[in-house]
Amino acid sequence: MKMKIAVIKGDGIGPEIVTEAMKVLDKAASVYGHEIEYRQVLMGGASIDAYGVPLTEETIAICKDSDAVLMGSIGGDTNTSPWYKLEPSKRPEAGLLGIRKALNLFANLRPAYLYKVLSDACPLKTEIAQKGFDMLIMRELTGGLYFGDRKTITENGIKKAIDTLEYTEEEIRRIAIKAFEIAGKRRKKVISVDKANVLDSSRLWRSVVNEVSKDYPDIELEHMLVDNCAMQLVKDPSQFDVVLTENMFGDILSDEASMITGSIGMLSSASLNDTKFGLYEPSHGSAPDIAGKNIANPIATILSAAMMLRYTFDLDKEADSIEKAVSDVLDEGFRTGDIYTEGTKKLSCSEMGSEIAGRIG
Ligand code: NAD
């Protein structure tokens, strides 16, 4: 297969971790007989430095003309970087919001997986951590409360703030379809999270999800109220496979799910539109405190590249081989500084990339 991938290396540790993900992708491509064309573009702080704006039309055009985008994190030290003296619409994060909008990325996927050998980093009780977990939070990204009308008015001398939570059935249907399709590639279970005992938007959510589920008879569907889900995530995270939810609930639950893995450098993510196109990036930021030192953990970005192979290119075998290589390297006791514990072997960012690439195929 020929793959056309736009690459945004980003700021801080971005260039270091993306270079390692490309090393791993190249190895997978050569082992399994694929061809990759990379097209590097700028976004975020690097784009501000080069062009005065965080996102250019050219970057958008090249991303749109690619099958997928591989991205490192963007942004700098928010206290000291000159990028944060600019008005908000010119800062690095505006580029991120702009590109998500331009590419119509409405489905955000964040896996939370606990590697057995890293279970000490899990803040939950040992007996819960030992059971392990492997879930994927699918959050609606372009609708709901964060995008509804908002205003603050004064009524009879009292200030009143109003935020609007809206969802159309189409917005719900397209993400529900994604969730069922992705569950088909995993353990075939969707837990849809809402607040249907109170909110109309949740009642519509639940009925559309039920409707969509009829087209996927082999996928088990369960509905869970968001308050219960927040509790279940810390009580028994092993019960979750795909968690489908709206924007604000997903914002909160995906952070809770990442927290229980205990290791920020391991968390991948993907944002998808209604085609096979996706933008793949680590969940963490640009870690300016360790940038340029070759000590960052590249695994989140490498796992994001594996998600790209699985979800954009349907190359499940290749994605499996990257995920297995990561698991093997950890089992053999290799660690970057952020996940290092006594008795394990500390590697640099580039050494970790090479160890993983070396185990593919
Ligand atoms: P951060 O995630 O960059 O860093 C938090 C802590 O985790 C730091 O101590 C950092 O060294 C460590 N860390 C993060 N990733 C690591 C890795 N791969 N390996 C080893 N250690 C790692 O969060 P922050 O410091 O709050 O933000 C820094 C910048 O990143 C800010 O400009 C912020 O806006 C931006 N940011 C960007 C994204 C994105 O690009 N999607 C997401 C979050 C934050």
Side-chain angles (χ1 to χ4, degrees):
M1 177 184 284
K2 186 159 184 329
M3 300 178 243
K4 215 153 71 170
I5 302 175
V7 177
I8 299 171
K9 287 199 165 178
D11 308 315
I13 59 170
E16 300 161 57
I17 55 182
V18 172
T19 300
E20 297 317 305
M22 290 165 75
K23 188 190 278 178
V24 170
L25 276 176
D26 285 340
K27 180 66 190 296
S30 85
V31 168
Y32 292 98
H34 304 297
E35 201 185 314
I36 305 182
E37 182 198 338
Y38 295 110
R39 295 188 296 169
Q40 297 207 24
V41 288
L42 297 181
M43 204 268 282
S47 175
I48 297 174
D49 290 346
Y51 308 117
V53 288
L55 178 64
T56 61
E57 288 302 323
E58 193 199 355
T59 291
I60 294 174
I62 291 177
C63 290
K64 279 188 174 167
D65 185 50
S66 303
D67 302 314
V69 182
L70 176 66
M71 195 173 97
S73 341
I74 53 107
D77 184 321
T78 46
N79 293 315
T80 58
S81 165
W83 299 328
Y84 296 92
K85 297 207 166 53
L86 300 167
E87 63 168 273
S89 68
K90 301 259 166 64
R91 292 179 191 172
E93 286 69 18
L96 197 56
L97 296 178
I99 202 156
R100 283 181 180 152
K101 191 163 175 224
L103 301 173
N104 193 25
L105 302 171
F106 62 82
N108 180 244
L109 279 60
R110 274 172 62 177
Y113 178 80
L114 186 66
Y115 290 88
K116 270 219 159 68
V117 289
L118 299 182
S119 62
D120 280 353
C122 172
L124 303 178
K125 279 187 183 159
T126 314
E127 59 266 32
I128 300 174
Q130 270 169 356
K131 272 174 85 181
F133 53 84
D134 176 4
M135 71 183 93
L136 188 143
I137 310 274
M138 184 174 281
R139 163 188 173 193
E140 202 290 327
L141 205 56
T142 55
L145 201 58
Y146 298 170
F147 288 86
D149 285 343
R150 77 196 63 207
K151 60 184 171 192
T152 303
I153 56 171
T154 304
E155 271 179 3
N156 304 324
I158 310 258
K159 274 193 190 154
K160 178 167 155 183
I162 303 164
D163 292 292
T164 320
L165 168 47
E166 279 180 45
Y167 269 110
T168 67
E169 52 184 323
E170 267 322 299
E171 286 172 314
I172 302 167
R173 186 168 294 112
R174 64 184 184 177
I175 191 160
I177 291 171
K178 284 271 175 213
F180 283 100
E181 280 174 359
I182 282 170
K185 282 179 175 269
R186 295 176 46 98
R187 298 195 311 282
K188 301 193 166 32
K189 182 173 177 187
V190 171
I191 294 188
S192 176
V193 174
D194 60 40
K195 189 73 183 167
N197 52 343
V198 179
L199 300 174
D200 257 22
S201 55
S202 281
R203 284 191 271 271
L204 181 64
W205 182 278
R206 201 175 271 218
S207 82
V208 174
V209 171
N210 278 334
E211 224 176 79
V212 172
S213 79
K214 291 186 188 132
D215 294 334
Y216 299 88
D218 58 329
I219 310 284
E220 186 190 339
L221 170 66
E222 186 185 327
H223 297 282
M224 193 178 274
L225 294 175
V226 62
D227 38 354
N228 185 28
C229 181
M231 291 192 286
Q232 295 299 328
L233 277 174
V234 290
K235 188 170 169 239
D236 180 16
S238 68
Q239 68 187 288
F240 295 100
D241 179 16
V242 173
V243 177
L244 164 65
T245 192
E246 61 91 70
N247 202 344
M248 185 175 66
F249 297 159
D251 188 8
I252 299 165
L253 295 175
S254 61
D255 271 9
E256 186 186 357
S258 347
M259 190 58 221
I260 58 173
T261 67
S263 40
I264 193 173
M266 309 283 299
L267 299 167
S268 53
S269 87
S271 301
L272 310 177
N273 66 17
D274 50 8
T275 67
K276 283 283 182 186
F277 182 91
L279 182 147
Y280 298 85
E281 58 175 325
S283 291
H284 58 72
S286 60
D289 51 334
I290 57 165
K293 296 183 178 161
N294 193 22
I295 58 171
N297 186 345
I299 294 180
T301 319
I302 290 170
L303 292 173
S304 303
M307 288 178 87
M308 173 191 292
L309 296 182
R310 193 181 300 286
Y311 297 126
T312 289
F313 298 106
D314 279 321
L315 297 174
D316 289 357
K317 188 168 43 109
E318 290 78 347
D320 287 346
S321 80
I322 294 178
E323 287 166 2
K324 181 169 184 311
V326 169
S327 211
D328 288 350
V329 163
L330 295 172
D331 285 346
E332 289 166 44
F334 294 106
R335 304 280 188 275
T336 43
D338 55 318
I339 50 172
Y340 174 80
T341 48
E342 223 178 277
T344 58
K345 289 159 261 181
K346 198 188 277 186
L347 299 183
S348 66
C349 177
S350 54
E351 287 167 339
M352 181 56 96
S354 300
E355 288 295 337
I356 294 168
R359 281 164 182 75
I360 292 171

